[in-house]
Amino acid sequence: MENLLCFGAITLIPGFAIFFYLLNTARKKTPAPAAGKKDYTPIYVTRADRPDTVMHGMDQFVADVQKTGQAR
């Protein structure tokens, strides 16, 4: 019984250490954008979208971004 308890403690402590190490390294911190860099917004397009609809949506998106930028 004592051997099982000792073996469990020996494996549990390094197991927790490895778990928390991997947990902290998995969280990637995104750096703040630099002064010269632009922050891009992704636009998702599928092959099922009609080209006219895509172009109209992009034009409207650009207009919304410019309107928001002027409001600042």
Side-chain angles (χ1 to χ4, degrees), residues 33-70:
K37 283 187 164 182
K38 288 189 175 185
D39 189 22
Y40 293 103
T41 303
I43 298 175
Y44 300 100
V45 180
T46 64
R47 293 186 340 189
D49 294 334
R50 294 189 329 228
D52 294 335
T53 307
V54 171
M55 293 306 294
H56 177 68
M58 286 186 182
D59 290 340
Q60 184 158 356
F61 177 73
V62 169
D64 289 345
V65 168
Q66 289 174 350
K67 186 171 126 183
T68 303
Q70 288 174 355

Side-chain angles (χ1 to χ4, degrees), residues 3-42:
N3 290 338
L4 183 63
L5 183 64
C6 184
F7 179 72
I10 289 173
T11 57
L12 193 63
I13 292 172
F16 275 133
I18 291 172
F19 172 75
F20 284 113
Y21 172 75
L22 292 175
L23 183 68
N24 288 332
T25 57
R27 296 181 194 157
K28 296 189 179 191
K29 296 174 177 72
T30 56
K37 283 187 164 182
K38 288 189 175 185
D39 189 22
Y40 293 103
T41 303

